[in-house]
Amino acid sequence: EGVTPQEYTCIKIKITEFAPEAQGYLKQKNFDFASNEIFLVAATLRPETMYGQTCCFVSKKIDYGIFEAAQGQFYICTERAFKNMSFQGLTPQRGYYKPVVQINGSVLIGSKITAPLAAEKELRILPMDTILPNKGTGVVTCVPSDSPDDYINTRDLAHKSEYYGIKKEWVIEDFVALIRTEKYGDKCAEYLVNELKIKSPKDAVQLAKAKELAYKEGFYNGIMIYGKFTGEKVENAKRLVRDQMLEENTAFVYNE
Ligand code: A2H
């Protein structure tokens, strides 16, 4: 981890229907998911892209915790992240970060969710193998229009749904365009994945390059072409969209 703190926006993604396996597991653990609100918490650097969410990624290799975040409200994220939150005044009790239940990412896959601002109303939890357990919350919201990683992972999931043990119809392959740049058009992730001939979510070197190019171009030269701040520079929209979500209590600021 670097020496300068990174500020993330954490998006609260509501679970509306747990996958059958998760329901069985949580019942067995005596966790009352029916009378509580449960949110996947995804850390993002790009709050202005939340209109374009098409699913939420978890890793099958990560054990998550379900943590009490407020009366009747629970967060799903890594224990490491909730611990940090507990020292940032984001939880009921400073330094308390014991999960009420642990749950592996694999159990959550297929669950139905609704994500704040997303144009698509019903999304699914899907797997992403490249999520790092020690960054953010271990949960990544998927924006295939502007994130090369999300775009290529979505394509891989759609092409190899059987291999991943998911239903193909869970994968939303068309998505709205959010940001226009002169260099990369309206869907910069797709443009860069094709341009750099990225074939797989495992093409780490090329993906890092694509991510860097997309981020710089989008941030400094991008114009919003979707949502409340259409016409606004991305540089400004970033803060405006974030503040709207903070106000609506669908997001919070988290540092690490
Ligand atoms: B970003 P940084 Cl549209 N493992 O959000 C892997 N990736 C993770 C992660 C983890 N544990 N936690 C967060 N991330 C992703 C949106 C987005 C993001 C767009 C474009 C680029 C982009 C939608 N996904 O990130 O290493 C999250 O994806 C590229 C910079 O802290 C988060 O923001 O710089 C970003 O990586 C955090 O990356």
Side-chain angles (χ1 to χ4, degrees):
E1 288 178 7
V3 282
T4 49
Q6 179 73 271
E7 186 184 286
Y8 294 98
T9 303
C10 278
I11 310 299
K12 293 165 68 176
I13 299 171
K14 192 178 166 137
I15 302 189
T16 52
E17 190 183 321
F18 278 100
E21 194 187 344
Q23 291 196 22
Y25 173 79
L26 293 174
K27 273 183 197 148
Q28 181 211 317
K29 294 281 177 187
N30 291 316
F31 179 70
D32 181 6
F33 54 87
S35 36
N36 289 299
E37 280 192 308
I38 300 136
F39 298 95
L40 270 178
V41 178
T44 183
L45 297 172
R46 305 288 308 272
E48 77 283 8
T49 68
M50 294 301 105
Y51 305 105
Q53 295 173 89
T54 55
C55 69
C56 185
F57 294 130
V58 298
S59 169
K60 295 182 182 181
K61 292 178 280 191
I62 297 179
D63 285 320
Y64 297 89
I66 305 183
F67 302 91
E68 185 159 22
Q71 183 68 40
Q73 269 199 32
F74 292 82
Y75 289 170
I76 300 183
C77 61
T78 57
E79 182 167 319
R80 180 192 149 280
F82 197 82
K83 179 180 179 180
N84 289 336
M85 289 173 199
S86 85
F87 288 106
Q88 292 171 32
L90 299 167
T91 68
Q93 196 184 334
R94 185 178 177 82
Y96 184 84
Y97 50 88
K98 198 168 132 52
V100 293
V101 190
Q102 282 192 333
I103 190 163
N104 185 265
S106 60
V107 181
L108 292 166
I109 288 163
S111 299
K112 291 181 186 170
I113 54 179
T114 57
L117 300 182
E120 291 279 351
K121 290 307 162 215
E122 187 180 272
L123 314 179
R124 299 276 182 166
I125 301 179
L126 295 174
M128 182 185 235
D129 296 334
T130 52
I131 294 180
L132 303 167
N134 53 359
K135 169 185 290 208
T137 56
V139 175
V140 175
T141 192
C142 175
V143 183
S145 55
D146 291 275
S147 161
D149 288 277
D150 298 353
Y151 177 80
I152 193 68
N153 197 56
T154 300
R155 223 168 67 179
D156 215 47
L157 290 173
H159 290 172
K160 301 197 284 192
S161 53
E162 208 161 309
Y163 166 81
Y164 284 107
I166 58 166
K167 293 201 177 128
K168 192 166 190 289
E169 60 266 29
W170 293 351
V171 185
I172 297 172
E173 279 196 277
D174 46 60
F175 46 82
V176 294
L178 308 173
I179 291 168
R180 175 166 299 161
T181 68
E182 226 168 274
K183 244 183 181 163
Y184 307 135
D186 292 354
K187 293 178 175 176
C188 73
E190 182 175 33
Y191 180 94
L192 283 162
V193 162
N194 291 332
E195 182 76 8
L196 301 180
K197 300 187 169 58
I198 294 165
K199 302 287 180 224
S200 146
K202 290 179 192 142
D203 291 346
V205 173
Q206 289 297 83
L207 274 168
K209 206 186 272 179
K211 192 156 84 175
E212 174 91 8
L213 292 169
Y215 191 84
K216 282 208 174 124
E217 192 60 23
F219 186 74
Y220 294 107
N221 298 318
I223 302 290
M224 299 299 295
I225 56 168
Y226 191 93
K228 189 174 171 186
F229 305 105
T230 296
E232 193 69 64
K233 284 179 167 179
V234 166
E235 230 179 316
N236 303 327
K238 195 177 184 126
R239 198 186 52 253
L240 294 167
V241 177
R242 186 198 67 173
D243 289 350
Q244 184 192 336
M245 288 191 291
L246 296 182
E247 204 155 298
E248 292 169 350
N249 190 28
T250 52
F252 57 89
V253 174
Y254 162 72
N255 292 281
E256 66 177 42

